[in-house]
Amino acid sequence: MAPRYKTQILQVIDTEYSADAVEWCPVAAWQNILACGTYQLKKPEGKHSGENDGIDEPHTRLGRLYIYHFTPDQMFMPLKELQRIETAAILDIKWCHVPIFECPTLGFANAKGAVELCRLSGSEESCRLDAMCSVELGPDCLALSLDWSTGLGQSCHPLKLICSDSKGQLSLLSVDEGAPTMDILSQWKGHEYEAWIAAFDYWNTEIVYSGGDDCMLRGWDFRAGTDSPVFTSKRHTMGVCSIQSNPHMENILATGSYDEHVLLWDTRQMKCPLGDTHVEGGVWRLKWHPTHAHLLLAACMHNGFHILDCKSSMAKVADECPILSSYVLHNSLAYGADWSKISLADFPASNPETASLDYCISESHAIAGSDRKLEVQVQNLKISYESPTGSFDLIVEDEDGVYVPEADFGANKIASMEDASQCDPAGCMTSQKEQNILATCSFYDHVLHVWKWESSTTESSTANIS
């Protein structure tokens, strides 16, 4: 039987500044830690409209870095803020996949053109980030993205970072774990305009990929030098702003663009992609699932967040990756997105607040249609949700966490549930469930969402009877 998919809100947080980057810590024993980066333009003070004497003062780019702890068995508000750090505006954040000196380490790219590293210390429920080291990429530029060379979860020496900036430059950095310090090993012009994204090939860290506002996707091999790329693809028709190497399957690369397409590639043959999926929104970030090689999370700016099944495209039997689920409850540009590695074996089957919210959303949508707005109250934060698509992906649960088909609202729903509870055990259906926790954030409404995505496959229990 085909699996069912269900999304459920767990918590909504107002980040105050515009939220554009979010990452769960991947390091074992620290996977309940979530980081969120923000970006806010502040207008010049002391000047009123029409009184600037013809001189335009620059805006200040402010940022704030949040650290949260997630408690899986906490039914109400499982996310707790541990720390906030005032800084320059943040454009990207990435945890190192392995500890540095036994400590999780977070890198972030900021609007002052610098890459900074911070070390997490203390206990998991009362930890804090402390500044470690930083390096400036150059004058008058914004650091736009970064990626670690540790994507396979293995230590490598030297530890490296690849970064991109607003002048189209790419910078290869080396991290000296003993000092600790960062040094620029190599820096070169990669793109004509903004280099929105740069990422390692996790299976061969001598190779990196980059994407820019010049619509180019490029590959670079350090063994051949950086005077020219080893390939340039013009398949994307607008700026390339997201790239990630698949950490589970060698030679698989995902890219996304303002052209609203997610492309899947075999890196051994970059002339034509394996798959091309139109997601109807500029693809700002792509994240592969932490354990399943075929699941890809896409942040699609004007069209929310989508989970793609890339299995058929990777097997070269389908051109398009089906969208398994969509999360459209953000009310602004979908920017930051990440999967958690947290195990949900002991997570509560039902959250009364969110279960009733799921019911309210589905029922309201079924009655009012997609052009209506729904207002809900979550953690004292009032948000107006509007679906840009024809239907929500949320599946209704009753108060016991039992799946309720949308067509069964009312008395028929109750009757069908009672009938199901009376079935012969030998002929009953058993459900195999897998639950995932995700974090996503949106820009102008400065909101962070934590939500659960559940996939379940129903099988007959008679298969287990001898």
Side-chain angles (χ1 to χ4, degrees):
M1 181 177 290
R4 294 183 182 274
Y5 303 99
K6 177 176 65 179
T7 59
Q8 184 183 55
I9 300 171
L10 298 180
Q11 193 168 351
V12 177
I13 292 176
D14 183 354
T15 58
E16 299 179 8
Y17 290 172
S18 299
D20 62 351
V22 63
E23 279 243 331
W24 294 94
C25 183
V27 177
W30 295 90
Q31 293 168 358
N32 286 41
I33 300 300
L34 177 68
C36 179
T38 64
Y39 180 110
Q40 189 75 30
L41 280 179
K42 183 181 179 182
K43 295 180 180 179
E45 296 180 356
K47 292 287 185 181
H48 301 283
S49 178
E51 298 181 5
N52 61 0
D53 299 323
I55 300 174
D56 292 327
E57 294 186 25
H59 287 62
T60 303
R61 296 182 174 94
L62 302 177
R64 185 178 294 153
L65 180 64
Y66 291 95
I67 298 297
Y68 300 97
H69 179 268
F70 182 85
T71 305
D73 59 356
Q74 177 64 48
M75 293 183 66
F76 303 101
M77 295 186 293
L79 210 61
K80 175 186 176 183
E81 182 183 327
L82 299 180
Q83 185 182 11
R84 59 175 66 186
I85 300 171
E86 302 295 335
T87 181
I90 295 171
L91 291 103
D92 195 16
I93 60 175
K94 296 282 172 57
W95 291 97
C96 185
H97 306 85
V98 297
I100 299 177
F101 271 129
E102 301 182 355
C103 293
T105 300
L106 180 70
F108 58 96
N110 69 29
K112 290 186 176 180
V115 173
E116 300 188 36
L117 302 185
C118 292
R119 179 177 294 168
L120 197 60
S121 60
S123 64
E124 188 180 16
E125 295 188 17
S126 61
C127 58
R128 61 176 289 111
L129 278 178
D130 295 310
M132 197 167 136
C133 58
S134 66
V135 64
E136 293 186 0
L137 303 182
D140 303 320
C141 73
L142 283 68
L144 298 179
S145 78
L146 74 158
D147 193 25
W148 294 86
S149 59
T150 54
L152 297 184
Q154 301 172 355
S155 296
C156 57
H157 299 283
L159 192 61
K160 294 181 289 186
L161 286 160
I162 185 67
C163 310
S164 65
D165 66 43
S166 58
K167 288 189 172 182
Q169 290 187 123
L170 303 176
S171 301
L172 179 66
L173 311 181
S174 174
V175 180
D176 183 342
E177 302 173 45
T181 58
M182 273 190 297
D183 297 299
I184 298 177
L185 294 179
S186 181
Q187 194 171 63
W188 69 100
K189 184 74 169 180
H191 295 270
E192 188 65 27
Y193 309 113
E194 289 90 343
W196 291 119
I197 188 74
F200 277 100
D201 184 318
Y202 293 146
W203 298 84
N204 183 352
T205 56
E206 294 297 319
I207 296 174
V208 298
Y209 307 102
S210 65
D213 210 44
D214 53 9
C215 311
M216 304 297 183
L217 167 65
R218 286 179 167 151
W220 310 85
D221 189 332
F222 299 129
R223 295 165 297 187
T226 55
D227 292 335
S228 60
V230 292
F231 75 81
T232 295
S233 172
K234 300 179 182 179
R235 181 61 183 256
H236 282 295
T237 59
M238 297 181 72
V240 179
C241 42
S242 53
I243 300 173
Q244 195 179 37
S245 172
N246 191 317
H248 314 292
M249 188 172 292
E250 191 173 1
N251 303 315
I252 297 297
L253 185 73
T255 65
S257 165
Y258 289 127
D259 66 10
E260 305 185 350
H261 286 257
V262 174
L263 300 184
L264 204 63
W265 302 87
D266 182 333
T267 57
R268 295 166 296 186
Q269 199 283 101
M270 293 297 295
K271 291 183 179 180
C272 183
L274 296 171
D276 183 342
T277 306
H278 185 206
V279 292
E280 300 182 3
V283 188
W284 184 252
R285 281 294 176 265
L286 291 168
K287 295 288 182 70
W288 290 104
H289 191 278
T291 57
H292 296 302
H294 65 289
L295 295 179
L296 182 65
L297 174 63
C300 301
M301 298 183 74
H302 293 283
N303 195 32
F305 301 88
H306 303 301
I307 297 172
L308 280 63
D309 182 354
C310 302
K311 186 180 298 182
S312 296
S313 291
M314 290 191 294
K316 303 180 181 180
V317 297
D319 294 331
E320 191 170 357
C321 301
I323 295 175
L324 300 181
S325 289
S326 300
Y327 188 82
V328 294
L329 295 187
H330 283 268
N331 211 32
S332 182
L333 294 177
Y335 269 0
D338 197 25
W339 305 88
S340 171
K341 286 188 174 182
I342 296 171
S343 171
L344 288 182
D346 300 322
F347 198 83
S350 174
N351 182 328
E353 280 194 347
T354 56
S356 62
L357 175 61
D358 287 352
Y359 182 92
C360 180
I361 290 174
S362 295
E363 184 176 42
S364 172
H365 184 74
I367 295 172
S370 62
D371 58 340
R372 293 292 188 91
K373 290 186 178 181
L374 171 70
E375 291 185 350
V376 296
Q377 195 82 15
V378 183
Q379 197 193 338
N380 300 318
L381 176 64
K382 191 174 184 181
I383 301 174
S384 174
Y385 293 124
E386 184 174 10
S387 173
T389 60
S391 63
F392 281 103
D393 243 10
L394 296 178
I395 304 300
V396 183
E397 291 178 324
D398 72 354
E399 61 184 8
D400 295 320
V402 178
Y403 168 73
V404 180
E406 290 188 25
D408 290 340
F409 289 137
N412 292 336
K413 174 192 71 175
I414 298 173
S416 65
M417 289 168 57
E418 290 176 347
D419 290 342
S421 66
Q422 301 299 321
C423 68
D424 179 3
C428 283
M429 308 296 282
T430 59
S431 179
Q432 304 295 323
K433 294 183 179 180
E434 179 174 346
Q435 301 177 97
N436 296 268
I437 294 295
L438 298 94
T440 52
C441 61
S442 47
F443 200 70
Y444 294 116
D445 59 352
H446 42 83
V447 165
L448 168 67
H449 285 213
V450 176
W451 48 285
K452 180 170 66 172
W453 182 62
E454 182 180 287
S455 60
S456 59
T457 304
T458 304
E459 298 177 352
S460 173
S461 61
T462 57
N464 300 320
I465 299 176
S466 57

